[in-house]
Amino acid sequence: MLTALLSVSDKTGVVEFARQLHGLGARLLSTGGTAKLLADAQLPVTEVAEHTGFPEMLDGRVKTLHPKIHGGLLARRDVPEHVAALEAHGIATIDLLVVNLYPFEATVAKPGCTLEDAIENIDIGGPAMVRSAAKNWKDVAVLTDASQYPQVLEELRAHGAVSSTTRFALAVAAFNRISNYDAAISDYLSSLQPDGTRSAFPAQANGRFVKLQDLRYGENPHQAAAFYRDLHPAPGSLVTARQLQGKELSYNNIADADAAWECVKSFDADDAPAACVIVKHANPCGVALGANAAEAYAKAFKTDSTSAYGGIIAFNCTLDAAGAELVAKQFVEVLIAPGYTPEALAIFAAKKNARVLEIALPPGGASPWQRGRNAQDAKRVGSGLLIQTADDHEIARADLKVVTKLAPTPAQVDDLLFAWKVAKYVKSNAIVYCGGGMTLGVGAGQMSRVDSSRIASIKAENAGLSLRGSAVASDAFFPFRDGLDVVIDAGAACVIQPGGSMRDDEVIAAADERGIAMVFTGVRHFRH
């Protein structure tokens, strides 16, 4: 007879699962609230205290930490000495363990959680049983999540036992769960400060990621790579994407797609009905707003049609047939949108290699594009790790400080704020010319700001776009007036920049001398 021990905090589906096990002839053992739940459901269940002959004690802290439990889980059926020891001590084997742990993560996520609350929700007996069962996976099946119930029942019905392959997979999942649970405890406890507050940066950082797929290669063909997601990914982030068609995503596809998606979702209905971002080699090479997807794409494409070839294209609106027809005229590596009309998908079905991704909008809220961001960013440095809070600072009209004699017009402020949003996603040093809700020239990743200023104007000239009357965003301050003179000479009529240079007065005086408007944000957006 199969013996199953059930002891769960999250009781989702456990009664029906136990009922099915009973119907298959299993003997049911259980603890505390789970045992009461099963008994109330008229299921024959033996309390662990009755099974061990030792009562629960210390407010339930000690109930399964007993040789009759761990002996029954750990004993190897293929080792005669183990079997003899069980017989000598009257210990019955346990063949199936169902455990999910005290809700520590949910407890510490509550705003009012105290250290006492957290400590009381650290499970001891549960992880111990899970480890015992998982270690002895050849003889014991261990279930740590309700989603595993159906497969186990299916195998028991079909074969009278859980397959070795499934038992091993369950054991791996169990050890992963214990690892994540312990990491959550470590993160919480090592973040506590002497005054009772919590630091955003715990004394030990425990990364918890789940592999989505192995990749053909990394940034270059001689590098191996894989793609992982956060244990609990934010809705609306790239890792939640559903690939509708096309070849497997590459390492560079994923990196560029993330850059495009993060940029395009910073625009919402308050900006325009549609926004389009085209990314090449991690930098936006064209960004635009429009009344619809087709208009937004057409304007974005004008910025740099050469770089757009083989680019990553992202929309913040449903892509319809009109937009798809325009995009399909070019070579596209990856296309991203929150939705597609059937006609749009039919158009791209002819481009079998094009990777088409759909990312669902996060539910609820007035501004869904502002969510789905990581709380923190990380970067490897040698054998270390740099961790910082995400650059999620948003600038509003009221935040702008006019520092020149000439103030920008309302239309210019619109262009300045648009340019500022784009500059945030351009590699430093970043200079972005904009006008009429579209980028006109982008200068990225240069060692000097004046060179980025020149390159951005050259890009606009090559695209046949006039910079006369344009708005310019600089991701950091102009250290000298030379960069400002370059953008004004190119045709800029207004500038947005953080300010904060020791030569701000010199730069402001230059702007007044040249007759342009300039505003300070007080915030910079380096992106290295």
Side-chain angles (χ1 to χ4, degrees):
M1 175 188 293
L2 179 143
T3 297
L5 170 54
L6 302 91
S7 180
V8 294
S9 290
D10 179 358
K11 296 175 172 56
T12 302
V14 73
V15 171
E16 184 56 31
F17 182 60
R19 182 174 286 112
Q20 296 294 322
L21 290 176
H22 172 62
L24 292 168
R27 176 190 178 217
L28 303 180
L29 299 178
S30 192
T31 62
T34 308
K36 183 178 185 305
L37 185 68
L38 300 183
D40 289 345
Q42 307 302 308
L43 289 169
V45 58
T46 301
E47 283 261 15
V48 160
E50 180 184 345
H51 176 74
T52 62
F54 199 91
E56 289 188 16
M57 60 186 299
L58 306 180
D59 297 320
R61 288 188 176 201
V62 177
K63 51 191 173 188
T64 58
L65 297 171
H66 192 282
K68 282 199 171 183
I69 299 299
H70 288 275
L73 292 170
L74 281 166
R76 288 180 54 181
R77 280 57 155 177
D78 61 341
V79 177
E81 292 81 2
H82 285 200
V83 175
L86 294 183
E87 291 176 352
H89 296 284
I91 298 175
T93 57
I94 298 172
D95 310 291
L96 190 147
L97 177 71
V98 183
V99 170
N100 54 58
L101 310 177
Y102 290 176
F104 179 84
E105 296 99 327
T107 298
V108 299
K110 296 175 183 176
C113 176
T114 65
L115 176 59
E116 183 178 357
D117 291 335
I119 294 298
E120 285 304 310
N121 278 278
I122 295 176
D123 203 331
I124 302 300
M129 287 192 292
V130 168
R131 291 176 67 88
S132 291
K135 178 174 181 175
N136 197 25
W137 64 270
K138 290 185 177 180
D139 294 311
V140 182
V142 53
L143 289 74
T144 51
D145 191 271
S147 63
Q148 299 164 337
Y149 298 169
Q151 181 179 358
V152 168
L153 286 174
E154 182 180 340
E155 293 192 13
L156 287 173
R157 290 192 197 99
H159 310 291
V162 181
S163 70
S164 176
T165 300
T166 298
R167 288 197 307 273
F168 182 73
L170 291 171
V172 172
F175 279 120
N176 288 343
R177 175 64 186 120
I178 297 302
S179 171
N180 292 327
Y181 193 73
D182 288 343
I185 296 169
S186 170
D187 283 343
Y188 172 79
L189 294 178
S190 64
S191 72
L192 293 178
Q193 304 300 296
D195 63 359
T197 61
R198 290 178 63 183
S199 169
F201 305 102
Q204 178 168 312
N206 300 281
R208 284 165 280 166
F209 300 92
V210 177
K211 186 163 73 173
L212 290 177
Q213 66 185 95
D214 289 306
L215 302 175
R216 286 175 295 157
Y217 54 82
E219 203 161 13
N220 299 290
H222 62 276
Q223 295 172 268
F227 184 28
Y228 290 78
R229 66 161 173 79
D230 280 318
L231 186 64
H232 301 294
S237 56
L238 181 69
V239 297
T240 66
R242 187 165 65 102
Q243 185 165 351
L244 304 182
Q245 72 161 60
K247 297 189 297 184
E248 178 183 303
L249 289 164
S250 71
Y251 181 100
N252 292 328
N253 288 156
I254 293 168
D256 286 350
D258 183 62
W261 183 245
E262 289 300 309
C263 183
V264 82
K265 74 181 184 183
S266 69
F267 299 99
D268 57 28
D270 290 338
D271 297 296
C276 176
V277 173
I278 306 174
V279 162
K280 192 67 172 290
H281 295 298
N283 280 296
C285 61
V287 181
L289 304 176
N292 49 55
E295 182 184 1
Y297 171 74
K299 291 166 67 177
F301 184 75
K302 286 180 183 178
T303 303
D304 189 350
S305 58
T306 300
S307 297
Y309 179 84
I312 311 294
I313 301 174
F315 293 91
N316 73 344
C317 60
T318 297
L319 183 62
D320 58 13
E325 285 176 355
L326 283 182
V327 175
K329 292 178 180 179
Q330 315 303 324
F331 169 44
V332 181
E333 283 278 3
V334 182
L335 180 62
I336 313 170
Y340 301 85
T341 65
E343 295 79 11
L345 291 177
I347 289 168
F348 268 90
K351 291 181 168 285
K352 298 189 181 299
N353 289 334
R355 302 160 177 90
V356 177
L357 305 182
E358 182 178 76
I359 304 180
L361 288 170
S367 184
W369 299 104
Q370 306 310 311
R371 298 195 301 278
R373 292 177 175 168
N374 296 324
Q376 294 181 330
D377 292 327
K379 182 183 294 186
R380 287 304 303 262
V381 283
S383 294
L385 186 69
L386 287 170
I387 302 177
Q388 64 177 350
T389 57
D391 183 8
D392 57 5
H393 191 281
E394 299 289 343
I395 292 291
R397 277 175 164 74
D399 299 322
L400 300 179
K401 179 183 178 182
V402 179
V403 295
T404 49
K405 295 174 183 176
L406 184 65
T409 67
Q412 285 177 325
V413 171
D414 288 341
D415 282 336
L416 288 170
L417 289 174
F418 174 81
W420 185 249
K421 280 189 177 183
V422 176
K424 176 179 173 179
Y425 296 96
V426 176
K427 299 290 186 180
S428 298
N429 287 315
I431 294 290
V432 180
Y433 292 85
C434 295
M438 64 177 284
T439 48
L440 301 171
V442 179
Q446 298 304 302
M447 288 69 76
S448 72
R449 192 157 300 278
V450 68
D451 283 343
S452 286
S453 302
R454 292 191 183 105
I455 288 172
S457 64
I458 291 170
K459 288 286 219 178
E461 182 180 358
N462 290 342
L465 298 172
S466 172
L467 296 179
R468 184 174 300 278
S470 61
V472 170
S474 174
D475 66 337
F477 60 66
F478 286 98
F480 305 97
R481 69 169 288 169
D482 55 357
L484 184 69
D485 283 327
V486 169
V487 301
I488 297 172
D489 288 343
C494 54
V495 170
I496 185 171
Q497 61 134 319
S501 168
M502 60 186 298
R503 293 185 174 83
D504 274 350
D505 289 343
E506 173 189 325
V507 175
I508 293 169
D512 284 333
E513 175 191 320
R514 302 295 301 273
I516 71 157
M518 185 162 64
V519 299
F520 282 3
T521 64
V523 177
R524 80 175 187 202
H525 284 306
F526 272 159
R527 190 175 182 86
H528 290 123

